[in-house]
Amino acid sequence: MLGQMMPTQLTITAIMRHALRHHGDREIVSVVADAPLFRTTYRDVFRRASMLAHALADAGVSAGERVATLAWNDHRHLEIYYASSCAGMVLHTLNPRLFPEQIAWIVNHAEDRCLFVDPAILPLAEALAPRLPSVRHWIVLTDTANMPDTPLPGAVSYEAFIEGRAADYDWPDLHEDTACSICYTSGTTGDPKGVVYSHRSTVLHAMAACMADVMGLTQRDTVLPVVPMFHANAWGVPYAAPMVGAKLVMPGPKLADGEFLHRLMESEKVTLSLGVPTIWMALLQYLEAAGKTLTSLQRTIVGGAACPPAIMQAFRDRHGVATHHAWGMTETSPLGTFNSLKQGMDALPEPDQDDIRARQGRGIFGVELKIVGDDGAELPWDGKAFGTLKVRGPWVCSGYFRLDAGTSHDTEGWFDTGDVANIDPDGYIQITDRTKDVIKSGGEWISSIELENTAVAHADVAEAAVIGVAHERWTERPLLLIVPKPGKTVDGEGLRRWFRGKVADWWIPDDVLVVDELPHTATGKLNKLALREAYADHKLPGSDPS
Ligand code: ADP
């Protein structure tokens, strides 16, 4: 017997229509080069998305073809999100921080038809253009008055591109399984891989993001996604915010500028903000140095890399802001787990609560989780056993664009995340490492994340990275690299003593190097691969100097 409910398709177009009807006047604030603080509304953004859909169709871009962006978080990028996907085309957000060769590879692999580019990223696009034969249209994200001179063939400004088009578009009735967007993993090992999201997966993910124990997004929120729209769709915020009618604040390119973020948060009365730990480190450092506080922000959501507990404590103790740890990846849309406390946990002593909050959270409804050992057998949820984290669910990828099935999925459809984790009896996961970052010392594993968190808890340490370095007796031993806080000096031996009693003695890094800065990946994470290469020949004290 079948249910008798309407077969309404879960499409992004439905999010747009809902927002137009219920939240048309809700404000969107956008930082763009041609207007430092542009104010618009959902109604206007979706009206312009209609104009853009006409312009794309008139330019000959057809359903299923890829529409690429090299853009920051602003209202025009949001218009492209909706115009392309709702017209049946496939949005392809490119990460401008990748190496140019990687971007060229990705554009050619996806066969992007047109490319929207921010004026600040124009030199990169110009350098790449001769190697991108599939791109037929270049649109610069600015108005006619600010259109720069560019050798890009046939380039037009965005405003000229959409000008004079009808403000209503006959959006097609799409099947919910239609592809809406594609995002490539940054490919720190091997070629980048394209993850193709569907309308259905995106809508379900956005609904899950809004759940009270997840982002808990409401119409009364003002949300500032510091996470870029080219990084796993800004964690779903461009869909979740219009779904509930939250005010959106789009910060443009200045994502790592603590002073700018603080000003924006205060002037727009931001209640919720999302980003990777390095962003929050920059903001907190600025606030500390300038003696400023956050008066409207209520919650931050931190993911993409492990959030050192020191960040969570600084947000809470100095600014009254709750930090929620989340875990996910491009392949999981990205939300997989989210940390909010269970009933009764807020009555626990603060250090116990901190221990729970430092974990990456519980599986969100829709995402099944398990950890498995080397033999593939499932491991217990006892908070001790750790193994490869596998996931399954409607917003987890089932394969990669134009790639034959590889080893990423097992025969039961579980996706291997490449992360090592334990899960406690309450279901909270703790990522101890990426498989390739774990330090294998004498047959045992040392968690680089735990060592980094311990180092960053030291008052004079701004940022820390731990990598395994070859050791003739133990195979690998940990090397700690730290960046001191401005004006502070850190002595390596003193820091090694700091670890005593905080981690097992045999985990204490063999050596500490003080550096001016640490390398980051295009998604703002510590670039461990670059560090491993740079320090491959580093001789640890006490190891054989030959
Ligand atoms: P990239 O490979 O481009 O960095 P993703 O953004 O998809 O791509 O990265 C996903 C990975 O980031 C996860 O597999 C995990 O290793 C790491 N990660 C994400 N969130 C967290 C977190 N809260 N704690 C620790 N690691 C995290």
Side-chain angles (χ1 to χ4, degrees):
M1 177 172 153
L2 292 176
Q4 291 184 313
M5 306 311 279
M6 296 183 187
T8 308
Q9 300 294 294
L10 301 176
T11 62
I12 293 169
T13 322
I15 299 180
M16 176 168 66
R17 288 197 175 118
H18 176 83
L20 268 171
R21 173 146 308 250
H22 294 277
H23 310 296
D25 294 334
R26 195 69 164 127
E27 197 174 27
I28 297 176
V29 179
S30 169
V31 177
V32 279
D34 48 310
L37 211 57
F38 182 75
R39 291 184 185 278
T40 180
T41 58
Y42 282 113
R43 179 171 299 110
D44 214 43
V45 158
F46 292 138
R47 186 179 60 79
R48 283 159 52 87
S50 281
M51 295 164 74
L52 176 56
H54 280 293
L56 285 167
D58 292 351
V61 185
S62 39
E65 291 193 321
R66 270 72 65 198
V67 171
T69 60
L70 270 171
W72 303 109
N73 293 10
D74 60 37
H75 67 289
R76 292 191 182 107
H77 205 173
L78 192 64
E79 290 160 13
I80 305 167
Y81 257 59
Y82 280 85
S84 55
S85 300
C86 299
M89 301 157 194
V90 183
L91 168 77
H92 179 195
T93 53
L94 293 160
N95 183 342
R97 298 186 188 129
L98 291 175
F99 289 120
E101 299 70 44
Q102 263 185 334
I103 299 177
W105 189 96
I106 292 171
V107 172
N108 289 326
H109 188 264
E111 287 186 274
D112 294 330
R113 274 290 165 262
C114 51
L115 210 158
F116 290 83
V117 54
D118 188 275
I121 315 173
L122 202 52
L124 173 68
E126 288 167 356
L128 289 175
R131 289 145 65 190
L132 309 179
S134 65
V135 178
R136 300 208 191 111
H137 306 281
W138 299 90
I139 303 104
V140 184
L141 293 163
T142 189
D143 55 17
T144 326
N146 290 288
M147 178 69 183
D149 274 340
T150 170
L152 288 175
V156 286
S157 78
Y158 181 88
E159 297 302 327
F161 190 59
I162 66 169
E163 195 182 355
R165 313 279 170 175
D168 56 339
Y169 188 83
D170 190 13
W171 301 106
D173 290 328
L174 299 170
H175 190 282
E176 61 185 14
D177 290 332
T178 307
C180 65
S181 56
I182 181 165
C183 186
Y184 280 71
T185 61
S186 47
T188 32
T189 51
D191 285 331
K193 295 198 254 327
V195 176
V196 185
Y197 306 108
S198 67
H199 280 259
R200 177 176 193 268
S201 72
T202 304
V203 170
L204 290 174
H205 177 264
M207 289 176 81
C210 293
M211 287 197 288
D213 263 347
V214 188
M215 289 187 199
L217 203 60
T218 72
Q219 198 275 344
R220 298 164 296 287
D221 274 306
T222 295
V223 53
L224 170 72
V226 185
V227 53
M229 289 166 80
F230 54 74
H231 191 188
N233 299 323
W235 302 352
V237 172
Y239 307 109
M243 188 177 262
V244 299
K247 172 177 165 182
L248 251 184
V249 182
M250 318 284 275
K254 288 204 223 160
L255 305 178
D257 180 336
E259 180 178 4
F260 166 79
L261 287 180
H262 174 245
R263 220 176 330 118
L264 200 56
M265 284 175 171
E266 292 299 303
S267 67
E268 298 308 321
K269 306 230 175 321
V270 170
T271 57
L272 170 67
S273 191
L274 309 90
V276 294
T278 40
I279 296 293
W280 302 133
M281 260 178 232
L283 175 67
L284 289 166
Q285 263 175 38
Y286 163 74
L287 296 174
E288 195 178 326
K292 299 267 167 76
T293 53
L294 297 164
T295 60
S296 66
L297 192 68
Q298 297 163 0
R299 326 195 286 292
T300 50
I301 295 171
V302 190
C307 180
I311 290 188
M312 301 189 186
Q313 283 150 16
F315 266 126
R316 183 191 57 204
D317 298 343
R318 292 186 215 142
H319 307 284
V321 173
T323 308
H324 293 274
H325 211 174
W327 168 89
M329 53 202 308
T330 306
E331 286 90 335
T332 63
S333 293
L335 286 174
T337 67
F338 194 91
N339 195 317
S340 40
L341 298 187
K342 280 184 165 177
Q343 198 275 329
M345 285 179 172
D346 52 3
L348 292 172
E350 210 160 74
D352 295 349
Q353 287 190 39
D354 285 353
D355 286 349
I356 299 169
R357 287 201 173 92
R359 301 176 78 86
Q360 278 78 0
R362 295 178 271 131
I364 297 168
F365 168 74
V367 179
E368 282 181 89
L369 308 164
K370 69 172 177 180
I371 42 173
V372 300
D374 288 342
D375 57 358
E378 186 167 357
L379 296 169
W381 291 21
D382 59 7
K384 296 186 192 81
F386 56 88
T388 300
L389 178 65
K390 291 192 167 194
V391 294
R392 211 161 60 165
W395 56 87
V396 177
C397 75
S398 60
Y400 292 103
F401 187 49
R402 292 178 168 162
L403 262 190
D404 292 337
T407 52
S408 53
H409 293 78
D410 66 21
T411 48
E412 289 167 348
W414 289 91
F415 170 71
D416 181 339
T417 64
D419 284 337
V420 181
N422 68 58
I423 308 181
D424 74 11
D426 283 309
Y428 289 77
I429 69 161
Q430 180 174 28
I431 305 287
T432 55
D433 251 312
R434 271 192 154 178
T435 317
K436 51 189 187 291
D437 294 338
V438 85
I439 299 158
K440 299 182 186 77
S441 176
E444 301 281 351
W445 287 8
I446 297 176
S447 160
S448 65
I449 293 180
E450 196 165 333
L451 293 179
E452 285 155 9
N453 285 347
T454 308
V456 172
H458 189 284
D460 297 337
V461 175
E463 200 178 12
V466 175
I467 52 165
V469 175
H471 190 283
E472 71 278 11
R473 175 153 179 225
W474 301 111
T475 317
E476 272 184 348
R477 288 293 303 157
L479 166 67
L480 167 64
L481 297 111
I482 62 121
V483 180
K485 284 197 179 152
K488 303 286 182 192
T489 48
V490 177
D491 119 77
E493 263 322 293
L495 196 56
R496 275 170 36 82
R497 280 198 297 280
W498 164 258
F499 280 87
R500 283 203 204 130
K502 298 188 174 71
V503 298
D505 279 352
W506 63 276
W507 278 38
I508 298 178
D510 286 26
D511 204 0
V512 180
L513 298 181
V514 178
V515 294
D516 291 338
E517 60 177 347
L518 289 166
H520 292 95
T521 67
T523 46
K525 303 172 194 193
L526 286 169
N527 189 341
K528 299 265 183 98
L529 189 68
L531 285 174
R532 275 196 293 272
E533 279 168 13
Y535 293 93
D537 298 328
H538 181 76
K539 290 287 168 227
L540 295 166
S543 63
D544 184 352
S546 60

